[in-house]
Amino acid sequence: MPLDLDQRKLFGLEYWVKHWYRYGLCFDRYSRLLQQTAAFSPQALQAFQNQHLKRMVGAAYRDIPYYRDLFSDLKLKPEAIQTAADLTKLPYLTKELVVANFDKLVSVKKRNFLCKVAKTSGTTGSPAQFIRSFNSINFENAAVWRQWKTGGDQGGKRRITLRGEVVVPMSQSKPPFWRFNPANQELLMCGFHLNENTFEAYLQKIMAFQPQILSSYPSNAYALAKYFRQHKISYRFDAVFTSSETLSPGVRQFIEETFQTRVYDWYGQAERVAAIGHCPKGTYHIQEDYSLVELSPMGQNFEIVGTHLFNEVMPLIRYKTGDLVKANPEQSCDCGSHFRTVASIDGRSCDYILTPEGYRISAANHIFHGVENVLEGQLYQDNRDCLIIKVVAASGFTEHDRAELIRNARENTSERMKIVVEEVDHIRRAPNGKFQSIVSRLPLDHNGPPETLASPA
Ligand SMILES: [Zn+2]
């Protein structure tokens, strides 16, 4: 299990530690800064970006061996990078390069005990790790809070979350399927346990708690909305905040109509090199003060390439996220923001695993967490009673690793499911070239317009 549930029960201690970490010492300062920059003119924004870009490139050259070598190979000095346009003098950075050069990409001088390591699982190509400075964690949280304020939550609203976290053990079949986080005053509900049989319990809890905000994966918010409609129950949220999966227009409309509110979607990634969020007009805006984003043409779409402006411990410059956006023909938005707009984000696969009990598992990370010798991994399902874990194994892959994968999968999915580990030479990419961590051939009900959706799982 990724979480030590017994420890978490102790006075919500983990929640308070997390809370302290996220809000840290610089949260207020960054929040004030981001309130100002949100109102900047295009010229002021450009000046802001260039100022921080120069600082970041200077720090990278000074403290990061990888960049010192790179600049030296290119016969460049950091002064050559004065503006965003100058970035094209440098090559792209990829996840493969980060994996191969990890030690050389971290500032030995700046790294301290407050830094956190973020790992991408083995499910998205080669696993990589990234170091986040304490300040950059505060900054991220300030950026997310600005988005929530845009959606009308100035803090203090009652909130339920339905995300990809296992809140209570998967083997638990009776409520409560939730836990209260006293640090954030939020009710963490387990998205995996929500189904036709458990909905009544969820509903009672929600009605007793009277939440004003729903913070959720799109697939979970959609599932919840579907049950409210089926049971003909009317409920209004002040706002729904979604993130971490692709939000399709049909799902968005369904959630908005059901809960008589607006959905504010947010795009980010473990590397934290780019963020995109909905404004009150429902337009996606690139958060121009969060990082420096280049849109690199790829077919009819654009790949998001990002450069850190606020992480001096492990600055990523021109990092290719692999996530795609569609251009917005309208370009501008009448919400008043001068941040660039995009029409849609085609980031992550929103397939999920369906268990025999009807649970929907949309996060594959837990299954590969801590398992050695897996180069790439993908969850595949074409039969509801069976889960296939496809792995491209490294030479040291053993029966122990295989057993570990099955154990992790069992804990995070279902006791009743058959779980098979299948070694493969290569994992096929999606037609758009993207790696998919979950592929399902079952008729999933989250992509089409609501009226054509299949019957509930
Ligand atoms: Zn707007």
Side-chain angles (χ1 to χ4, degrees):
M1 288 294 287
L3 307 169
D4 184 344
L5 292 167
D6 287 334
Q7 276 179 351
R8 287 181 52 163
K9 279 182 203 157
L10 278 175
F11 316 111
L13 186 63
E14 181 194 303
Y15 299 131
W16 287 107
V17 172
K18 230 184 215 172
H19 186 265
W20 175 82
Y21 226 99
R22 287 183 178 166
Y23 289 85
L25 302 168
C26 311
F27 176 81
D28 287 337
R29 181 160 61 83
Y30 284 138
S31 281
R32 282 194 298 274
L33 175 72
L34 291 176
Q35 282 316 116
Q36 289 166 7
T37 49
F40 272 4
S41 67
Q43 294 77 16
L45 264 178
Q46 225 169 46
F48 174 86
Q49 286 179 331
N50 292 341
Q51 175 204 339
H52 287 283
L53 176 66
K54 281 189 275 186
R55 188 177 50 77
M56 192 52 74
V57 168
Y61 181 78
R62 198 179 59 231
D63 299 331
I64 312 280
Y66 178 84
Y67 288 114
R68 183 171 278 273
D69 291 351
L70 180 70
F71 274 80
S72 151
D73 289 348
L74 296 168
K75 299 191 172 39
L76 285 177
K77 288 286 175 200
E79 294 73 36
I81 312 294
Q82 296 284 321
T83 67
D86 292 331
L87 275 175
T88 53
K89 295 173 187 170
L90 302 175
Y92 289 126
L93 181 64
T94 61
K95 186 177 283 178
E96 290 69 32
L97 282 169
V98 171
V99 172
N101 297 282
F102 176 75
D103 289 335
K104 289 174 72 188
L105 271 162
V106 180
S107 165
V108 179
K109 219 165 77 187
K110 294 274 166 78
R111 186 173 184 176
N112 60 32
F113 72 99
L114 286 170
C115 291
K116 279 212 156 176
V117 181
K119 287 183 182 152
T120 61
S121 70
T123 59
T124 44
S126 26
Q129 43 183 351
F130 302 90
I131 312 286
R132 295 170 181 166
S133 70
F134 185 52
N135 284 4
S136 76
I137 294 167
N138 293 176
F139 178 77
E140 170 78 15
N141 203 34
V144 170
W145 257 109
R146 177 174 68 182
Q147 171 73 359
W148 290 345
K149 284 177 183 166
T150 301
D153 186 2
Q154 304 295 322
K157 288 204 173 180
R158 285 184 305 281
R159 170 185 293 243
I160 54 171
T161 56
L162 264 172
R163 296 180 49 80
E165 204 181 359
V166 180
V167 178
V168 297
M170 289 306 294
S171 54
Q172 185 175 322
S173 59
K174 297 222 153 43
F177 304 112
W178 45 80
R179 218 166 268 283
F180 187 65
N181 172 353
N184 289 357
Q185 295 293 306
E186 67 184 336
L187 187 65
L188 301 164
M189 300 193 110
C190 190
F192 302 128
H193 283 84
L194 175 64
N195 63 24
E196 184 58 41
N197 301 325
T198 59
F199 174 68
E200 197 58 44
Y202 277 82
L203 179 65
Q204 279 182 18
K205 185 67 190 176
I206 290 170
M207 288 309 188
F209 187 65
Q210 287 288 302
Q212 295 149 293
I213 301 288
L214 169 62
S215 174
S216 177
Y217 280 9
S219 58
N220 287 338
Y222 171 67
L224 189 70
K226 202 173 57 176
Y227 291 125
F228 269 82
R229 282 209 194 184
Q230 270 170 9
H231 292 255
K232 300 193 169 36
I233 297 155
S234 172
Y235 192 86
R236 190 189 166 277
F237 283 102
D238 291 356
V240 175
F241 299 134
T242 56
S243 62
S244 312
E245 291 172 346
T246 302
L247 174 72
S248 73
V251 165
R252 175 179 171 183
Q253 192 188 346
F254 189 88
I255 298 169
E256 289 187 337
E257 286 173 6
T258 308
F259 294 130
Q260 306 149 56
T261 191
R262 200 172 257 297
V263 171
Y264 290 83
D265 191 38
W266 176 261
Y267 158 85
Q269 66 302 110
E271 296 87 337
R272 296 188 169 173
V273 293
I276 300 176
H278 268 143
C279 73
K281 299 283 179 190
T283 307
Y284 278 118
H285 287 271
I286 297 170
Q287 308 292 295
E288 308 277 16
D289 46 4
Y290 174 99
S291 66
L292 215 156
V293 172
E294 298 170 74
L295 297 179
S296 164
M298 191 184 249
Q300 296 189 325
N301 298 322
F302 294 88
E303 180 178 357
I304 300 168
V305 176
T307 296
H308 279 148
L309 297 177
F310 290 97
N311 184 359
E312 290 179 21
V313 177
M314 191 175 174
L316 303 178
I317 299 176
R318 302 201 86 201
Y319 182 85
K320 280 165 80 77
T321 62
D323 291 333
L324 305 176
V325 295
K326 282 196 172 56
N328 185 5
E330 297 293 328
Q331 298 286 333
S332 66
C333 174
D334 54 11
C335 71
S337 168
H338 294 292
F339 293 176
R340 277 172 296 170
T341 65
V342 297
S344 63
I345 305 163
D346 182 16
R348 298 125 291 183
S349 152
C350 46
D351 276 4
Y352 54 83
I353 296 301
L354 197 56
T355 72
E357 299 89 342
Y359 297 152
R360 304 144 58 102
I361 313 295
S362 56
N365 294 14
H366 299 323
I367 293 176
F368 294 94
H369 193 78
V371 180
E372 303 285 333
N373 305 315
V374 173
L375 297 175
E376 288 188 347
Q378 182 182 64
L379 306 185
Y380 178 88
Q381 192 179 28
D382 55 14
N383 167 349
R384 191 154 157 172
D385 298 317
C386 180
L387 170 66
I388 296 171
I389 308 173
K390 294 188 182 183
V391 296
V392 178
S395 55
F397 188 77
T398 61
E399 282 309 306
H400 172 78
D401 298 323
R402 182 185 295 267
E404 188 87 340
L405 275 176
I406 292 177
R407 194 176 64 86
N408 283 356
R410 171 98 38 234
E411 280 181 358
N412 284 283
T413 57
S414 160
E415 289 291 327
R416 284 161 47 192
M417 212 164 187
K418 186 176 174 204
I419 296 169
V420 181
V421 174
E422 189 182 301
E423 280 188 61
V424 295
D425 293 333
H426 175 70
I427 288 176
R428 214 158 53 149
R429 267 46 181 174
N432 66 4
K434 284 199 59 110
F435 187 90
Q436 295 168 289
S437 56
I438 300 178
V439 170
S440 178
R441 298 285 175 240
L442 297 175
L444 302 183
D445 59 352
H446 57 187
N447 269 328
E451 57 278 12
T452 63
L453 293 168
S455 56

